[in-house]
Amino acid sequence: MAEGSTDNKLPYQMDVYFDSFPTLDADRMAAFINSIDPGEDPCEITRPSEETIQEWQSGEKIKLDGFVASLGDFNMLILVHSVPSPAAEAIQDSNLPPDQKARLGAHKAFALLNNTGGDKYRGYESLIFLYKVAMAMCEQGALGVGNIHTDHFFHREILMQMLEIKNNPGPDGKNHTLWDVMRHFAEPRQLLMNITRFKDAAGGDWAATRGFSFCGFPDFICPMDGKMKPDEICDVFNMLFSYLMENGPVIAAGHTIGPDERHAYRFSEPPAGVELPYPAVTVLAIDKEQKKKRFIFF
């Protein structure tokens, strides 16, 4: 796992959806996780005692089950519920194809994964562990997964296909697992980040990143005021994500990035009253600047 201090106190969570209340095998989940990233710290998954499960169940009108997963310094509580997820409405607002949206939206049970610890790792390592556990549940019949931090949803078949990713040989001449592709090539980035838009209290229209904070980076906002076209804003956001994944959280207010000889992008604190409508630690506003021409006198 990539090391780098992360102490942002954000809730690292993920939904996993089922068509009925599942019976999950903890040993099988752990074996699956260890098989898809064999060079990583070993994962262990245990089910609490029946007495503990009954304590969770006390006073609840729904059926519950649970597990505890550990990997390195991470500890994850997995709580399975016999009802649909409270976040189910977001599935209908997602960009999934209609058939996948209908299948995930019809789920009857869900597991909430809540990961803690791992402060010495890069923030995205917590997301990687969440995906590993979620995929282990998909391997046992889960319908799919909801990343509630990025508002992305994935059907089981799509996630399991991602495990087959083998990047072109890197500098070491070797192919890479999905997890190393995420760490070193920032792909598939839909697993880690999203680009969205929101309106501020005054009705101003903004483009924004979503999920950067959970990778240990600032999130970014950019006014949709015509100064930058939507495609350019998306290109800048994607460029920033790749840059931060490679170099770490090195961008702050007052910094400027100049990708070419004509333009530069300056970062600043957001204007007063402009806040993201979802959790983020640090938010930076982007402003496009025209570089000053240099005149040479003879």
Side-chain angles (χ1 to χ4, degrees):
M1 284 184 285
E3 295 193 357
S5 178
T6 300
D7 189 20
N8 56 29
K9 306 303 181 186
L10 290 170
Y12 283 86
Q13 298 176 330
M14 193 167 284
D15 276 355
V16 183
Y17 308 113
F18 300 87
D19 56 7
S20 62
F21 191 79
T23 299
L24 296 168
D25 185 325
D27 291 338
R28 179 175 162 184
M29 283 195 289
F32 176 83
I33 291 169
N34 292 328
S35 71
I36 60 177
D37 201 2
E40 190 54 87
D41 292 337
C43 174
E44 296 182 0
I45 300 180
T46 58
R47 186 175 185 271
S49 66
E50 287 296 334
E51 186 177 283
T52 299
I53 298 294
Q54 290 303 317
E55 289 179 2
W56 292 350
Q57 190 73 54
S58 179
E60 297 287 346
K61 297 181 180 180
I62 62 175
K63 187 176 181 181
L64 297 173
D65 198 0
F67 302 87
V68 176
S70 62
L71 187 150
D73 288 351
F74 288 130
N75 289 288
M76 185 184 303
L77 176 63
I78 304 165
L79 195 58
V80 187
H81 305 69
S82 63
V83 294
S85 167
E89 290 184 4
I91 297 174
Q92 303 307 320
D93 296 329
S94 71
N95 294 324
L96 283 174
D99 60 331
Q100 294 184 21
K101 188 181 296 187
R103 291 173 69 187
L104 284 190
H107 71 274
K108 300 296 190 296
F110 82 103
L112 176 63
L113 316 184
N114 185 40
N115 196 29
T116 60
D119 291 348
K120 71 178 184 179
Y121 306 132
R122 292 280 185 93
Y124 54 76
E125 291 291 351
S126 188
L127 294 172
I128 286 176
F129 187 32
L130 284 165
Y131 276 116
K132 288 179 179 179
V133 174
M135 288 182 179
M137 292 183 170
C138 288
E139 195 268 336
Q140 293 192 41
L143 295 172
V145 173
N147 183 338
I148 55 183
H149 305 313
T150 63
D151 215 24
H152 275 313
F153 299 86
F154 305 94
H155 199 269
R156 172 180 61 221
E157 282 79 5
I158 299 299
L159 281 178
M160 302 311 278
Q161 287 172 9
M162 288 184 181
L163 283 178
E164 302 302 319
I165 287 178
K166 291 290 184 294
N167 198 276
N168 291 328
D172 55 4
K174 300 179 181 178
N175 287 328
H176 300 271
T177 66
L178 169 63
W179 321 111
D180 283 339
V181 172
M182 291 170 70
R183 292 175 180 122
H184 304 304
F185 300 94
E187 295 288 351
R189 60 190 57 205
Q190 65 264 36
L191 293 181
L192 297 172
M193 57 84 79
N194 199 357
I195 296 173
T196 184
R197 60 193 300 175
F198 70 99
K199 289 187 179 295
D200 61 31
D205 201 8
W206 295 79
T209 62
R210 184 166 183 170
F212 279 44
S213 288
F214 290 88
C215 294
F217 313 137
D219 269 294
F220 298 91
I221 61 174
C222 183
M224 303 282 288
D225 57 6
K227 194 172 182 179
M228 294 171 61
K229 294 182 179 180
D231 286 350
E232 181 183 0
I233 294 174
C234 290
D235 288 345
V236 172
F237 285 163
N238 280 307
M239 177 269 293
L240 289 172
F241 187 71
S242 296
Y243 182 81
L244 292 169
M245 285 291 288
E246 181 178 354
N247 298 284
V250 294
I251 298 176
H255 290 180
T256 300
I257 288 181
D260 58 45
E261 296 180 354
R262 296 176 299 164
H263 304 113
Y265 302 100
R266 180 173 293 277
F267 305 98
S268 62
E269 299 290 340
V274 178
E275 296 181 357
L276 288 175
Y278 42 82
V281 177
T282 301
V283 180
L284 297 176
I286 301 176
D287 184 44
K288 183 179 181 180
E289 296 182 343
Q290 198 82 16
K291 289 186 178 179
K292 295 181 179 180
K293 294 182 179 179
R294 293 184 179 181
F295 295 94
I296 301 176
F297 296 92
F298 295 93

